[in-house]
Amino acid sequence: DVKVTQSSRYLVKRTGEKVFLECVQDMDHENMFWYRQDPGLGLRLIYFSYDVKMKEKGDIPEGYSVSREKKERFSLILESASTNQTSMYLCASSFTRVGEKLFFGSGTQLSVL
Amino acid sequence: DAKTTQPPSMDCAEGRAANLPCNHSTISGNEYVYWYRQIHSQGPQYIIHGLKNNETNEMASLIITEDRKSSTLILPHATLRDTAVYYCIVRRTGNQFYFGTGTSLTVIP
């Protein structure tokens, strides 16, 4: 079975802290994604990566950056956390081939105080 | 880029078929339709996907209209464990998947 593993299930940080959310997949997928999920807004794409060291902005990239140094790992970075970044963060991965599906991690609930 | 529209909520009696509709009127010819569901506080789980033809697997059936502008996910015998938010998704250009706000399905005993 495909595994997408997010390093933390729950995280509490203070305003202004630098926050790293880590995601690892074990299926050699080319694509990796970071979404955030807020009540009433569904899942919104923050960033995605289609190859090592490659990244593309999603719909809401402001306040975030990403890093993909190895194919299996995709990190989301909050340079200076703010309270409006309190949210559920979901990592996903997929192959590039048309018709391939997304596999999700179980999510990280981040609270910024 | 294709977008999806789903009703915000639906109820279904336990043991009955749940039919969840989705409109994707701007879908392109080579874009697949995917369905996922999310149980509270978990990551979305894949259910089924299709391009043109109807599809069936052990979880559900997917009916896509001939013009591909809408589809219906069918859970043939809904159980309480099927209570979840269901997302209809199309794959945007550049390998992105567009998630709408989904349909919250409540299965009633």
Side-chain angles (χ1 to χ4, degrees):
Chain A
D1 270 358
V2 174
K3 259 204 140 151
V4 180
T5 304
Q6 295 184 231
S7 52
S8 305
R9 186 75 179 95
Y10 299 96
L11 212 51
V12 180
K13 296 291 181 180
R14 298 225 173 262
T15 302
E17 276 193 79
K18 190 168 185 176
V19 181
F20 292 86
L21 302 183
E22 305 286 345
C23 176
V24 177
Q25 50 93 6
D26 65 359
M27 275 301 291
D28 205 35
H29 286 163
E30 298 96 353
N31 301 326
M32 296 189 75
F33 306 82
W34 276 107
Y35 291 87
R36 68 175 279 177
Q37 185 173 30
D38 302 287
L41 297 178
L43 278 76
R44 294 179 292 167
L45 182 65
I46 304 171
Y47 267 98
F48 74 101
S49 168
Y50 54 89
D51 201 352
V52 175
K53 297 192 187 295
M54 305 305 290
K55 61 185 180 185
E56 292 278 348
K57 293 180 180 179
D59 298 315
I60 50 165
E62 296 79 18
Y64 303 94
S65 62
V66 290
S67 172
R68 192 157 180 213
E69 296 296 318
K70 293 185 178 181
K71 192 174 186 179
E72 67 270 20
R73 186 179 298 269
F74 193 35
S75 303
L76 181 70
I77 303 157
L78 288 65
E79 296 288 343
S80 177
S82 63
T83 55
N84 63 12
Q85 292 178 310
T86 290
S87 186
M88 169 69 83
Y89 290 88
L90 289 158
C91 176
S93 68
S94 79
F95 286 116
T96 298
R97 290 189 300 268
V98 173
E100 292 292 335
K101 57 194 180 193
L102 266 181
F103 293 88
F104 279 89
S106 51
T108 296
Q109 179 63 52
L110 173 67
S111 297
V112 182
L113 306 178
Chain B
D1 286 338
K3 293 188 177 178
T4 62
T5 305
Q6 299 176 254
S9 63
M10 291 181 65
D11 293 337
C12 177
E14 189 178 15
R16 305 296 292 270
N19 296 283
L20 291 91
C22 179
N23 286 322
H24 32 79
S25 58
T26 59
I27 195 169
S28 299
N30 61 352
E31 288 180 330
Y32 280 74
V33 178
Y34 296 76
W35 282 84
Y36 282 75
R37 73 178 182 186
Q38 187 177 28
I39 296 168
H40 184 63
S41 298
Q42 297 181 19
Q45 174 193 23
Y46 168 82
I47 302 172
I48 199 166
H49 73 288
L51 182 62
K52 295 180 186 176
N53 301 320
N54 299 337
E55 302 286 345
T56 296
N57 64 20
E58 65 279 3
M59 291 180 70
S61 295
L62 174 60
I63 309 297
I64 303 173
T65 58
E66 196 167 337
D67 63 8
R68 300 204 336 113
K69 293 185 176 182
S70 65
S71 61
T72 300
L73 178 75
I74 302 172
L75 309 176
H77 305 287
T79 70
L80 299 179
R81 287 180 296 178
D82 291 323
T83 292
V85 177
Y86 288 77
Y87 293 97
C88 166
I89 300 149
V90 294
R91 193 164 179 170
R92 293 162 69 174
T93 54
N95 293 314
Q96 297 183 50
F97 291 76
Y98 175 82
F99 281 78
T101 52
T103 295
S104 179
L105 175 69
T106 301
V107 180
I108 301 167

